[in-house]
Amino acid sequence: MITDDVVIKTEGLTKIFQKGKKREVVALDSVDLEISRGEVFGLIGTNGAGKTTLIRVLVGLLTPTEGKAYVLGKEVTEDIDYIRERVGLLPQEAGIYDRLTARENLIYYGGLYGIPEEDLNERADTLLEIVGLKDKEDYQVKGFSGGMKRKVLVARALVIEPEILFLDEPTTAIDTLGARIVRNLLKKLSSEQKRTVILTTHDLNEVKELCDRVGILNEGKLIAVGKPSELEEKFRAANLEEVFTGLVTGEGVYGGAEP
Ligand SMILES: Nc1ncnc2c1ncn2[C@@H]1O[C@H](COP(=O)(O)OP(=O)(O)OP(=O)(O)O)[C@@H](O)[C@H]1O
Ligand SMILES: [Mg+2]
């Protein structure tokens, strides 16, 4: 049953990439997951665990090999246009328009969603101010540093005011102060506006600070899901890093298995 509150649901979601004739990679392996409206959900896992693949399936950039994925009550292979209008995406490797200015990147992107220019101008003002690029808004992005480009992309994902935001490593390459600003912004979006945020990160402190729940992906399998503090308790671990390392290496968590 999909209730109004569950905005993302996957059932046995599997994605297999064919590599040459014989080799295949199971990037997602029977993933069952539910995410509720207003949650900040963190996806963690080692390089190649399947995080980006999961996001790409949920926004319709990849077709699942098996299983189902529902976003806002619609199945991704059936109603992707409906979904795309309502979700924002910050890709891991983002296609930013280098020749446009920071501001133009936001306005152009929002225009693709049919948002009136007046609204876009207002939102661009606010967002560029928040990410600290207001004074550079009229510079071409090609002269920006990696972190500055990332900030433009965070703002770009937000300019359409999506119901669900998918952010693939939003704070990677962003400095400590900038990362804090981004985290605060995401927290606010979830608590004040009930927007749902799904993000990936390699920073477990970020997960602890920001995420209501976290899912650990390992070799395509979702091996643990819960509140960070719940997972620590469940595995009697001192911190999330211990949980993560113990589970992902298969060595087990120091404090022992489930009580
Ligand atoms: N387009 C593709 N074609 C073939 N294989 C792919 C493709 N995209 C991903 N893969 C493979 O699927 C697996 C999962 O990759 P994915 O990018 O989802 O990992 P990730 O968890 O996002 O890793 P990272 O932390 O490095 O970003 C990897 O083995 C990767 O090589
Ligand atoms: Mg990735």
Side-chain angles (χ1 to χ4, degrees), residues 3-259:
T3 64
D4 201 33
D5 220 34
V6 175
V7 291
I8 289 175
K9 184 178 169 72
T10 71
E11 290 171 340
L13 191 65
T14 299
K15 178 69 191 179
I16 299 173
F17 290 109
Q18 210 65 42
K19 297 223 162 160
K21 275 200 178 141
K22 288 200 178 136
R23 214 167 76 79
E24 50 184 37
V25 173
V26 183
L28 293 175
D29 192 348
S30 306
V31 173
D32 295 323
L33 176 66
E34 277 189 14
I35 298 174
S36 300
R37 187 178 301 280
E39 265 194 285
V40 179
F41 190 90
L43 270 174
I44 56 176
T46 54
N47 295 136
K51 304 177 297 294
T52 296
T53 303
L54 179 54
I55 288 183
R56 287 170 64 85
V57 169
L58 292 173
V59 300
L61 293 171
L62 290 171
T63 329
T65 311
E66 272 175 58
K68 296 273 184 205
Y70 303 89
V71 177
L72 295 165
K74 309 281 185 194
E75 213 276 313
V76 289
T77 58
E78 285 166 11
D79 285 304
I80 199 59
D81 292 342
Y82 177 93
I83 296 168
R84 283 213 182 115
E85 279 174 22
R86 291 162 180 82
V87 308
L89 170 67
L90 166 61
Q92 183 170 9
E93 285 168 40
I96 197 167
Y97 295 106
D98 262 348
R99 285 169 189 235
L100 298 186
T101 67
R103 185 177 190 90
E104 284 164 353
N105 261 284
L106 269 57
I107 305 287
Y108 176 74
Y109 188 73
L112 296 177
Y113 286 79
I115 299 165
E117 200 161 327
E118 210 180 287
D119 294 349
L120 283 177
N121 274 319
E122 218 170 280
R123 292 181 200 175
D125 281 340
T126 313
L127 286 166
L128 289 163
E129 184 72 50
I130 292 173
V131 299
L133 289 175
K134 195 76 184 79
D135 57 336
K136 299 190 179 61
E137 65 174 5
D138 294 325
Y139 294 178
Q140 279 189 342
V141 164
K142 69 175 174 197
F144 281 14
S145 72
M148 284 157 68
K149 285 185 185 174
R150 224 53 207 146
K151 288 178 181 171
V152 174
L153 287 165
V154 171
R156 192 186 77 169
L158 291 172
V159 82
I160 61 166
E161 298 193 344
E163 281 185 56
I164 304 182
L165 253 177
F166 293 96
L167 306 164
D168 203 347
E169 301 193 16
T171 55
T172 295
I174 295 186
D175 64 54
T176 310
L177 297 181
R180 198 174 61 186
I181 290 167
V182 171
R183 284 197 287 271
N184 286 340
L185 183 60
L186 298 178
K187 273 192 219 166
K188 225 167 131 183
L189 282 172
S190 115
S191 63
E192 291 176 10
Q193 299 184 26
K194 274 274 185 187
R195 311 271 174 191
T196 311
V197 178
I198 292 96
L199 64 97
T200 72
T201 182
H202 291 292
D203 180 349
L204 299 185
N205 290 326
E206 178 163 281
V207 171
K208 187 101 201 218
E209 187 197 322
L210 178 61
C211 299
D212 299 308
R213 284 193 308 146
V214 58
I216 304 179
L217 269 175
N218 189 42
E219 296 176 356
K221 291 194 176 71
L222 192 62
I223 55 171
V225 184
K227 292 183 178 151
S229 56
E230 273 175 11
L231 291 182
E232 287 166 3
E233 251 171 66
K234 179 174 169 183
F235 293 99
R236 296 192 201 130
N239 51 46
L240 199 56
E241 189 174 325
E242 228 179 81
V243 176
F244 181 81
T245 315
L247 291 179
V248 166
T249 57
E251 287 171 5
V253 185
Y254 175 74
E258 298 182 43

